[in-house]
Amino acid sequence: MIDRLRSLWHGADRDDPARSPSSPDDVQADARVASSLRTLLDDPGVPDAVRAELAHEFERVEHMLDKLERGELHVAVFGRVSAGKSALGNALLGHQAFRVGVLHGTTTQAAHAPLDEASAPGLVLIDTPGINELDGETRERLAFDVAEVSDLVVFVADADLTRDELDALTLLAGTQRPLLLALNKTDRYGDDELRDLLEHLRTKTAGLVRAEDVIPVAALPAPQRIVETDTDGHEHVTKASRPPQVAALRERLVSIAEREGKTLSAINAGLFAGRLSDQLTARIAETRRALAARVIRQYCIAKGVAVALNPIPVADLLAAAGLDAAMVVQLSRVYGLPLTRRESGRLVATICAQLAALMGAIWGVQLVSSALKGLSAGLSTVVTAAAQGALAWYATVLIGRAAEQYLVNGKNWGEHGAKRAVADIVGTLDRDSILREAREEILKRLKQRGKTRS
């Protein structure tokens, strides 16, 4: 859908005079984007912690939804300090809405002002800080932050583009917003000089700005010098202010707002919603992984200690299987794909079958240590119990990670099946470090238990 919307700006149908400013396709696309935004806002699957973490982004989505419903097109005005951004905004508006000054830093925050509703319904200008302010990092970040929620960008220059300006223009183009380049202060140039400069700028920005969107303006033309001679032959010099020369740019913006405003607004909203959706997916996955890791560790401790303390041969292994099934049930809830106890038992059996085929020697050692623990006494029992508990811990990690992989894939082992999935899990885990951690933790807990009893 977004590709279709974007094509309305970049594609041939943008200039088709027969195309209606609000064709049925556009109206349907706008409605789908609005519906997607509402779905994103109301998604019950977003955990409260993730929603709180991304509260600012959710506020932006609400802002975009309101903007779509009001039919507004937001135009951000960018440029370096003193290029005339604020003056151009005021000239387009026809009144002093934005602060204008000769000192750096006059514009410190983004400011919004709507154009005359009678001639430009829904068109809102956003003035931004200069891209080369003294504390430029903060203000540049603010400027690009505004660009992300704007639908169209007017970049203001007053001469040939510097390297910094061209870099900024390139970054702005990367936000996938349509760009207009306004060459300000054109009253300083002669006709031939202005024509050559415009041609140079169109060549220099090819691929970033359409040639017809490089537009000359004069937001604050220098006063006109008027020389008058009185009856005595004395010359008197006066200066008369001249009106802004922004008609071409204003007409271009009004034309875009009328014909493509809703489309551009929908493009921007859709792109932002897509990025937020990706962020949500990543954060939710990260949250689930962290919670799953805690669940697995809790069951590792429970299973490792339970196996170490159970003096009855083989019976401890049966108890451990029950813990594995309970762990898988908990993991399935973490990933929002609940399993019954029977389903979790079958999943554990599948995983254990694959582990037995891959690691038969390990399970053999566990069975031997189980028997030794029942026949031994004293120190050998403690040593054997710790070893067996560590193996049980390691087995829990393997089963938990394998079950997690199965759930992440939507209750599916993937195209290569359970054997490959379990083998990959085994291959990615550091067995020695897990066993070492398990032994240390189990011995610590056994000592604590011994002190409690004494």
Side-chain angles (χ1 to χ4, degrees), residues 52-267:
E53 186 179 354
L54 298 175
H56 180 59
E57 285 76 6
F58 276 98
E59 288 177 5
R60 282 188 172 182
V61 172
E62 291 179 352
H63 167 75
M64 288 179 173
L65 182 57
D66 290 342
K67 181 161 65 80
L68 272 177
E69 293 175 345
R70 291 193 302 267
E72 290 181 352
L73 177 71
H74 285 200
V75 182
V77 184
F78 283 90
R80 61 177 173 77
V81 171
S82 302
K85 301 178 290 79
S86 300
L88 179 58
N90 291 333
L92 289 167
L93 294 168
H95 60 89
Q96 297 294 308
F98 304 128
R99 295 177 59 195
V100 179
V102 296
L103 297 177
H104 284 197
T106 298
T107 303
T108 58
Q109 293 183 341
H112 298 62
L115 260 67
D116 178 18
E117 284 292 323
S119 59
L123 195 61
V124 177
L125 296 185
I126 304 173
D127 191 25
T128 65
I131 61 173
N132 61 333
E133 297 279 11
L134 294 177
D135 54 345
E137 184 176 350
T138 301
R139 293 182 180 176
E140 186 174 341
R141 189 164 56 248
L142 172 62
F144 287 100
D145 189 53
V146 174
E148 191 173 47
V149 292
S150 300
D151 308 305
L152 179 67
V153 174
V154 175
F155 193 93
V156 184
D158 61 1
D160 187 13
L161 295 177
T162 65
R163 169 49 58 185
D164 287 343
E165 288 176 313
L166 188 58
D167 288 345
L169 196 64
T170 302
L171 287 172
L172 286 168
T175 67
Q176 303 184 63
R177 303 296 182 275
L179 287 172
L180 277 66
L181 174 59
L183 175 61
N184 194 20
K185 304 179 183 178
T186 54
D187 55 299
R188 302 184 305 184
Y189 302 102
D191 292 343
D192 292 341
E193 188 178 13
L194 177 58
R195 184 177 59 252
D196 291 344
L197 179 54
L198 287 171
E199 184 62 30
H200 173 73
L201 288 174
R202 286 168 180 145
T203 301
K204 195 169 188 176
T205 60
L208 301 176
V209 183
R210 294 168 64 100
E212 61 267 34
D213 290 333
V214 179
I215 302 172
V217 296
L220 283 175
Q224 183 178 7
R225 187 171 181 271
I226 301 174
V227 179
E228 296 179 332
T229 304
D230 61 20
T231 56
D232 296 327
H234 297 123
E235 291 185 349
H236 299 276
V237 179
T238 58
K239 292 183 178 181
S241 60
R242 292 187 289 174
Q245 300 168 21
V246 296
L249 177 60
R250 196 174 197 279
E251 290 173 5
R252 185 79 184 95
L253 291 174
V254 170
S255 174
I256 292 171
E258 290 176 345
R259 292 183 58 82
E260 302 163 285
K262 286 189 175 181
T263 297
L264 291 175
S265 186
I267 289 173

Side-chain angles (χ1 to χ4, degrees), residues 409-422:
N409 289 333
K411 295 185 179 180
N412 192 298
W413 287 115
E415 59 178 321
H416 298 295
K419 181 178 181 180
R420 174 66 176 274
V422 173

Side-chain angles (χ1 to χ4, degrees), residues 377-384:
L379 181 61
S380 58
T381 299
V382 174
V383 173
T384 306

